[in-house]
Amino acid sequence: MAAAGSAGPEPMPSYAQLVQRGWGSALAAARGCADCGWGLARRGLAEHAHLAPPELLLLALGALGWTVLRSAATSRLFRPLAKRCRLQPRDAAKMPESAWKFLFYLGAWSYSTYLLFGTDYPFFHDPPSVFYDWKTGMAVPRDIAVAYLLQGSFYGHSIYATLYLDAWRKDSVVMLVHHVVTLVLIVSSYAFRYHKVGILVLFLHDISDVQLEFTKLNVYFKSRGGAHHRLHALAADLGCLSFCLSWFWFRLYWFPLKVLYATSYCSLRSVPDIPFYFFFNVLLLLLTLMNLYWFLYIVAFAAKVLTGQVRELKDVREYDTAEAPSPKPRKADPQHRLPKGQRCRCRNEGCAIEQEQKRETVSSNNEQNYEKTREARNPTYALSEGPTGSR
């Protein structure tokens, strides 16, 4: 097993060096694996995976705790805040989700930043060092174990939330795959004691989520009370710019050149027979491809802004108004309503009063059907709405 060199951290490679060395190492590992197959995988699990049942139970309880905490925060904090700030109905419906994610990712990324820059861990400045002292069943430092518990349980909750709590978007299927892959990486990297590289992965990804939810919150708040608020509009513009830049820098530059280079090339130099080499690298490569997929949304949004097709910030992953369930309609003024069964005496086929009542009836029926569908999809919906079911 190789030890840390005395010459200092290894310089970060280029994309060409990553592809050349990483692909070469993978081919060499594949040729040198004479007994690769299910038998080797079973032996590797038995010899190298260390995950106790109480740890899995704690992870499941944490996921349940995040779900309960989100339900309470939504009904007790986020919705009353949206109502007090007089957000637009469409913004008020989406604000709790963004507020919840913003608070979690801000706390999670702050803690990862502390671990990488406020302690003696050299993982960020010297990524190959994550494998220098690797041993089967090595002890996981308590501060890193806490980060793993919080992140693993949250992504367990996020799988449920994507299916039953969050707004359904054009990329929700990809988001669901992302959460499953992330949870598998977190649990398996903890079991095989690859927790050092895991902290680096979490740090490089969480910052983009912080900026995304911060931007969306300011988009929601810039029109509160029916007025335009320049401060929130400016914060949204700056947040969008920093989000685009950080997505490329953290997820498409640092992540492959620090993490993928360390796992695909440096890992075999330090531990020639490192277990489950292909399993982890395939999952990390899949994570990179999903980052590229979402980057296409960012490029599409930037192109629309530059060509003048979009004048205001919005999440391009969301469905258009015509495709999404319509918000609750505002009832017509009582003085302009007709008694049930009575027609307007103006005898005008395009009577505005009758047209309004027809639209209200259709919208009311659509809303009832939407609420029934939402209750069927989300078993905890009735609990999250409160005892009276009011929003």
Side-chain angles (χ1 to χ4, degrees), residues 23-36 268 277-278:
W23 180 251
S25 298
L27 288 179
R31 295 193 193 100
C33 187
D35 58 344
C36 288
L268 292 175
Y277 168 84
F278 292 103

Side-chain angles (χ1 to χ4, degrees), residues 67 71 160 164-165 374-375 377-385:
T67 304
S71 178
Y160 172 84
Y164 300 111
L165 299 179
R374 190 176 180 186
E375 289 182 15
R377 288 182 64 233
N378 180 10
T380 63
Y381 174 69
L383 296 176
S384 64
E385 295 300 307

Side-chain angles (χ1 to χ4, degrees), residues 52-64 149 153:
E55 293 174 320
L56 288 174
L57 177 61
L58 191 60
L59 188 72
L61 291 177
L64 178 61
L149 175 61
S153 59

